[in-house]
């Protein structure tokens, strides 16, 4: 997956300008994503720190959800919240799929981290095996992977059964029509903003409290030029 990443150590804790100065990616690609980008206004007010910013997907894809700008935040208690800006709005018939996929993805993130973690070594007092312990490690991984698949199936099924709700969500201080789904106290919200759409995911109570705003992508580009000593 293509990404434009921040340099290490650049977070929202130092303010919005710190994120802008940290860009080291392709300005031309950001320029093609011209328009407004969603973010949490003053993250520290909500106990959030900007953890990552990335532009993902492919510009030549026909899938309107493929190319997106993601701002990922982490609370001081370890909770994750993301504001994704889709390059274009999605057809009405696809909104439910988008919002349910976002909720499932947010809930699945800890599972992905667990399955990606290295397999624990065998206890020191366990007799050595002729295969060097490979069979033990392989069995552990297979068992973990089966548990992961079972957990994922249960999670997706629960999100699919959760009721879809319509209402409003505030962007730039104005209420806009939204579609949302909540499962296991995690909420995903799809809301149209300007000529594109935002998807906000995170703990239900936090999603309903944060102030989401939009700013032009030019702010990122101009911030980098100032950092590089340009005009």
């Amino acid at each position: 997956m293509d990404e434009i990443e921040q340099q290490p150590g650049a977070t929202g804790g130092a303010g919005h300008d710190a994120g802008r100065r940290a860009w080291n990616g392709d300005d031309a690609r950001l320029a093609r994503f011209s328009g407004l980008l969603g973010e949490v206004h003053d993250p520290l007010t909500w106990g959030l720190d900007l953890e990552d910013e990335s532009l993902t997907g492919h510009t030549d894809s026909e899938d309107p959800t493929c190319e997106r700008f993601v701002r990922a935040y982490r609370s001081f208690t370890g909770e994750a919240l993301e504001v994704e800006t889709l390059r274009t709005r999605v057809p009405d018939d696809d909104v439910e799929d988008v919002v349910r996929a976002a909720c499932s993805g947010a809930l699945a993130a800890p599972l992905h981290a667990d399955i990606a973690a290295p397999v624990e070594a065998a206890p020191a007092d366990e007799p050595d095996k002729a295969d060097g312990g490979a069979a033990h490690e392989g069995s552990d991984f297979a068992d973990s992977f089966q548990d992961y698949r079972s957990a994922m199936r249960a999670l997706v099924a629960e999100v699919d059964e959760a009721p879809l709700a319509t209402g409003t969500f505030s962007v730039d201080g104005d209420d806009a029509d939204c579609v949302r789904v909540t499962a296991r106290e995690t909420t995903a919200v799809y809301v149209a903003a300007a000529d594109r759409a935002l998807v906000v995911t995170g703990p239900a109570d936090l999603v309903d409290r944060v102030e989401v705003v939009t700013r032009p992508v030019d702010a990122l580009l101009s911030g980098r030029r100032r950092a590089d000593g340009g005009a």
Side-chain angles (χ1 to χ4, degrees), residues 84-150:
E84 298 178 274
T85 305
L86 307 185
R87 181 168 52 84
T88 61
R89 298 184 186 182
V90 301
D92 291 344
D93 291 344
D94 296 333
V95 169
E96 179 176 353
D97 290 340
V98 169
V99 77
R100 290 192 188 279
C103 188
S104 295
L107 289 171
L111 299 178
H112 294 163
D114 287 344
I115 197 65
V119 177
E120 292 183 4
D125 58 352
E126 183 174 311
D128 292 338
K129 294 184 174 64
D131 61 4
H136 175 80
E137 290 185 3
S139 224
D140 281 353
F141 179 80
D143 290 345
S144 295
F145 187 70
Q146 289 302 320
D147 290 344
Y148 164 80
R149 292 186 62 188
S150 297

Side-chain angles (χ1 to χ4, degrees), residues 145-169:
F145 187 70
Q146 289 302 320
D147 290 344
Y148 164 80
R149 292 186 62 188
S150 297
M152 280 294 298
R153 283 194 294 266
L155 184 154
V156 171
E158 188 170 339
V159 172
D160 285 345
E161 293 172 2
L164 202 68
T166 58
T168 59
F169 187 84

Side-chain angles (χ1 to χ4, degrees), residues 38-117:
E39 66 178 6
V40 174
H41 177 62
D42 195 6
L44 289 178
T45 298
W46 317 103
L48 295 170
D49 195 34
L50 179 60
E51 189 174 53
D52 183 50
E53 293 180 301
S54 59
L55 179 57
T56 66
H58 307 282
T59 57
D60 57 352
S61 173
E62 295 182 1
D63 180 359
T65 69
C66 176
E67 193 176 15
R68 59 183 67 196
F69 187 94
V70 184
R71 281 191 168 103
Y73 302 88
R74 182 78 56 180
S75 75
F76 299 146
T77 57
E79 295 176 309
L81 183 140
E82 289 189 350
V83 179
E84 298 178 274
T85 305
L86 307 185
R87 181 168 52 84
T88 61
R89 298 184 186 182
V90 301
D92 291 344
D93 291 344
D94 296 333
V95 169
E96 179 176 353
D97 290 340
V98 169
V99 77
R100 290 192 188 279
C103 188
S104 295
L107 289 171
L111 299 178
H112 294 163
D114 287 344
I115 197 65

Side-chain angles (χ1 to χ4, degrees), residues 1-12:
M1 180 178 290
D2 295 333
E3 291 188 355
I4 300 176
E5 299 177 346
Q6 285 186 284
Q7 294 175 356
T11 68

